[in-house]
Amino acid sequence: MNIDGKPHRSVWLGEDGRSIHIFDQTRLPWAVEVLGLADEEAVATAIRSMQVRGAPLIGAVGAYGLAMALRRDPSIANLERMAAMLNETRPTAVNLKWALDRICAAVRNHPPERRADAAYAEAAAICDDDVETNRRIGAHGLPLLQEIAARKPAGEPVRVLTHCNAGWIATVDFGTALSPIYQAHDAGLDVHVWVDETRPRNQGAALTAWELGAHGVPHTLVADNAGGHLMQRGLVDIVLVGTDRVTRQGDVANKIGTYLKALAARDNGVPFWVALPHSTLDMKVRDGLAEIPIEERPGTEVTDATGRLPDGSVATIRVAAEGTPAANPAFDVTPARLVTGLITERGRCEATEAGLTALYPEKAG
């Protein structure tokens, strides 16, 4: 995807062939800063602090972190210890465990002196796979937007509502939910995106609006609670969101507030589609509400807010009274019955076990 007309990926290997570089997402949109990560502890810190975020990107960066750990100590004991440490950094998104398991499987049978190189090669393959996967998600989602456009009066845009950030900055490239939007825009389709601010960390305001603007996609930022109002007035044609985990029966874990968008969409007859790569599918879990661990983040993310001051400096201020307790569940689960369908790199399907098994028979177990 583009920043000021120049193509970028969200993670790339440093010139030394060992470190990696990422965009520090806590600095966006006020500054585009590149952060170097040279060891597994730096990777773990970047994931915990959300300097790097987005389920597919966390998986790719975590894979490189495990490769870095093997340069220091290529033993199987260290492999397993560091994989467990990295996996604990963000518990809800399944992509991280998927990528770490893939590294472990790729290196386990190599002699110690070859494990680090094998891990780096596998991490690079994970990144390339993510790029192609997300491109295909966009290709399978694009017809949904084209079909809506064909039914609308000439000159009226396809109006998409999205929640959180499921764009290229959350993946290695293209994004998941935003991939069909980028492909539609690049193909000349008139698309407009309603961008939820996505409290408390404002990933929609800080990241989605920034990357859509950088790519030239028309968009409007709205308060999180405006989605239902827009749907009631016929101003939303389709909801497109990403996900951090999809279960065997089609339940969807995504950023907190997604469930409320699905309820509003169902009440107003608006299609609610979820875009996911194969790395987000967890066929070992059936009931998302009962089985998916929901990350609880610090309450200060709710009581405080970060923004740019009139003098151009960036500061964090408190927006709640001192002493106010705050709960901060980072994700919610949308039951499969509220999901119109799933968009994957292999095609579209219903949010059901039968639909997912048809696309991914090798994962059915």
Side-chain angles (χ1 to χ4, degrees):
M1 291 292 104
N2 295 325
I3 302 176
D4 297 329
K6 297 181 180 179
H8 292 79
R9 282 189 175 188
S10 296
V11 58
W12 62 99
L13 199 60
E15 292 183 0
D16 60 6
R18 301 177 182 180
S19 63
I20 59 172
H21 297 293
I22 62 168
F23 293 106
D24 185 347
Q25 296 191 37
T26 64
R27 299 291 295 152
L28 292 169
W30 308 287
V32 179
E33 295 185 2
V34 174
L35 183 67
L37 306 176
D39 58 44
E40 66 273 18
E41 291 296 338
V43 167
T45 297
I47 294 173
R48 288 193 197 97
S49 67
M50 294 181 68
Q51 290 174 302
V52 59
R53 49 145 298 283
L57 183 58
I58 288 172
V61 171
Y64 273 118
L66 192 51
M68 294 172 189
L70 292 175
R71 294 194 68 89
R72 177 178 52 80
D73 177 359
S75 68
I76 293 298
N78 187 57
L79 172 71
E80 294 175 347
R81 184 168 57 250
M82 291 299 98
M85 182 275 289
L86 288 164
N87 188 51
E88 291 172 357
T89 56
R90 297 294 302 277
T92 300
V94 74
N95 308 63
L96 179 56
K97 185 178 188 304
W98 169 84
L100 296 172
D101 287 348
R102 184 165 158 176
I103 294 292
C104 289
V107 308
R108 191 176 296 275
N109 293 328
H110 284 286
E113 66 274 11
R114 293 184 55 192
R115 286 174 186 154
D117 288 342
Y120 273 96
E122 190 66 14
I126 287 171
C127 289
D128 290 342
D129 173 79
D130 186 66
V131 174
E132 178 59 17
T133 291
N134 296 329
R135 186 195 66 78
R136 292 183 180 183
I137 287 172
H140 289 301
L142 175 59
L144 294 174
L145 304 182
Q146 292 172 324
E147 290 165 8
I148 293 171
R151 298 194 299 267
K152 296 177 72 70
E156 187 174 313
V158 176
R159 295 165 297 196
V160 183
L161 185 141
T162 192
H163 189 67
C164 196
N165 172 258
W168 73 265
I169 198 68
T171 65
V172 180
D173 204 352
F174 285 105
T176 55
L178 295 194
S179 185
I181 295 170
Y182 284 129
Q183 295 195 32
H185 173 77
D186 291 349
L189 200 69
D190 191 1
V191 181
H192 175 272
V193 183
W194 298 109
V195 179
D196 281 351
E197 59 180 345
T198 321
R199 283 280 294 151
R201 290 190 64 95
N202 292 313
Q203 292 100 323
L207 302 176
T208 301
W210 168 76
E211 66 167 89
L212 288 172
H215 200 77
V217 180
H219 62 282
T220 302
L221 180 66
V222 294
D224 281 349
N225 291 329
H229 166 81
L230 295 171
M231 293 183 213
Q232 284 179 324
R233 280 152 180 76
L235 297 176
V236 178
D237 297 308
I238 186 173
V239 179
L240 282 177
V241 299
T243 175
D244 291 78
R245 189 182 304 212
V246 173
T247 71
R248 174 181 284 270
Q249 67 183 16
D251 297 334
V252 172
N254 194 46
K255 184 55 57 186
I256 194 75
T258 303
Y259 173 48
L260 296 180
K261 298 300 180 298
L263 287 170
R266 174 58 61 91
D267 190 51
N268 289 280
V270 175
F272 183 93
W273 284 84
V274 178
L276 71 145
H278 59 87
S279 58
T280 302
L281 179 58
D282 187 356
M283 296 291 271
K284 296 178 182 178
V285 169
R286 179 174 296 277
D287 186 334
L289 192 60
E291 299 178 68
I292 295 177
I294 301 299
E295 178 184 6
E296 286 279 345
R297 293 191 60 80
T300 52
E301 293 182 354
V302 178
T303 60
D304 299 2
T306 300
R308 188 163 63 183
L309 302 179
D311 64 4
S313 62
V314 177
T316 298
I317 62 170
R318 191 170 180 88
V319 296
E322 291 294 338
T324 301
N328 189 15
F331 302 90
D332 59 25
V333 176
T334 299
R337 61 183 171 80
L338 298 177
V339 178
T340 304
L342 305 171
I343 310 170
T344 81
E345 77 280 0
R346 295 187 182 180
R348 302 192 303 270
C349 70
E350 294 182 343
T352 62
E353 181 173 356
L356 287 165
T357 299
L359 286 184
Y360 297 98
E362 76 280 8
K363 289 178 176 281

